[in-house]
Amino acid sequence: MTDASYPVSPRNRAKRRHDRAQYDHEAVHAVLDAGFLCHVAYVIDGQPYCTPTIHWREGDMLYWHGSSASRMLRNQKGGTPVCVTVSHLDGLVLARSGFNHSANYRSAMCFGTAQIVDDPAEKMQQLHAVTDRFFPNRARSLRAITPQEAKATMVIKMRIEEASAKVRDAGVGDEDEDLGLPIWAGVIPVETVIRAATDSPHLPAGVTRPAELDLYAPGSRLDVALLAAQKLYQPE
């Protein structure tokens, strides 16, 4: 284990298929940065919940946001232990037995204590960041966020204390005795592909799509575009 890895404990250590687990920052961050949605799991009064939301990352700090009326966010005001997960489906693996069917995937599981961003300057900075993280340099071209909009939105941050990534990128794992069976087996690749943008019907004359959005060109993979946007993102 190196300084560039998250500490391994019973909380984040892979219990199954240890060979697929990685704990280094690079592997974990690559999964996080290639995703647009995460799931935040937490417990309130003994009842488990899991909420999907948009996330973004600065170093080992994860951020997400939601409505100020959110039950999850209200209960995290004092600091709440949470588990944040991101996953990508990369392929369907069909074997010659049901037991050996699988999927190619990338996933990350992050643990920490979620807290509300209360400082007004930090909160406004992150409300801009959630735009610039995915659409580089876009925030400065938009109209200013109104006080009412800022009040209606809550920003949450969580320093990643422990984390692990798991990746399967392999072919069919059939038993040797099954290889001769007359049954099709193989991998069906899966990608999320960007389609052509649709202009708003209310665009003023002369307004065109900015060059910064070329990352999201039709036919491009979404995860690749998100990774490229993360590399361009420069926090204020």
Side-chain angles (χ1 to χ4, degrees):
M1 197 62 60
T2 70
D3 291 339
S5 296
Y6 289 105
V8 181
S9 76
R11 185 166 64 165
N12 68 322
R13 180 182 291 111
K15 303 298 190 296
R16 184 175 178 273
R17 294 308 304 259
H18 306 279
D19 55 309
R20 297 178 185 170
Q22 302 174 64
Y23 304 94
D24 58 286
H25 292 182
E26 183 177 3
V28 172
H29 295 171
V31 175
L32 297 175
D33 297 346
F36 192 79
L37 289 173
C38 71
H39 286 80
V40 183
Y42 51 98
V43 176
I44 300 174
D45 296 331
Q47 172 63 50
Y49 296 90
C50 186
T51 302
T53 186
I54 296 171
H55 70 282
W56 64 103
R57 181 184 66 83
E58 293 182 6
D60 62 355
M61 189 74 76
L62 277 179
Y63 293 89
W64 61 92
H65 71 71
S67 166
S68 292
S70 166
R71 170 176 53 198
M72 174 190 74
L73 300 179
R74 288 200 313 270
N75 280 273
Q76 289 176 353
K77 191 170 183 65
T80 299
V82 299
C83 176
V84 179
T85 60
V86 174
S87 59
H88 307 270
L89 176 64
D90 295 323
L92 310 176
V93 181
L94 286 74
R96 294 168 180 85
S97 72
F99 181 80
N100 286 323
H101 277 57
S102 187
N104 283 340
Y105 66 90
R106 290 161 288 156
S107 65
M109 181 177 292
C110 302
F111 298 91
T113 302
Q115 295 182 318
I116 292 175
V117 176
D118 283 323
D119 179 74
E122 182 184 3
K123 179 178 180 180
M124 188 58 66
Q125 176 183 336
Q126 292 305 321
L127 289 176
H128 291 153
V130 68
T131 299
D132 281 341
R133 153 63 185 100
F134 299 107
F135 312 109
N137 302 315
R138 183 170 175 81
R140 64 187 179 188
S141 69
L142 306 177
R143 71 148 173 83
I145 297 172
T146 67
Q148 187 59 34
E149 289 171 336
K151 182 179 179 181
T153 307
M154 198 173 287
V155 177
I156 299 295
K157 65 180 178 181
M158 182 197 84
R159 187 170 301 282
I160 303 173
E161 299 169 1
E162 297 172 353
S164 61
K166 287 187 76 174
V167 177
R168 186 191 195 277
D169 183 14
V172 180
D174 268 322
E175 310 300 332
D176 289 345
E177 58 268 28
D178 292 340
L179 297 180
L181 295 175
I183 302 169
W184 186 87
V187 177
I188 301 173
V190 176
E191 297 178 350
T192 299
V193 178
I194 297 165
R195 298 179 62 181
T198 303
D199 289 342
S200 166
H202 305 294
L203 285 179
V207 174
T208 58
R209 178 177 164 128
E212 289 87 347
L213 295 182
D214 288 348
L215 290 173
Y216 298 96
S220 301
R221 282 175 42 177
L222 177 61
D223 58 341
V224 173
L226 292 173
L227 284 170
Q230 175 71 28
K231 289 182 178 179
L232 292 173
Y233 172 54
Q234 298 293 329
E236 294 180 3

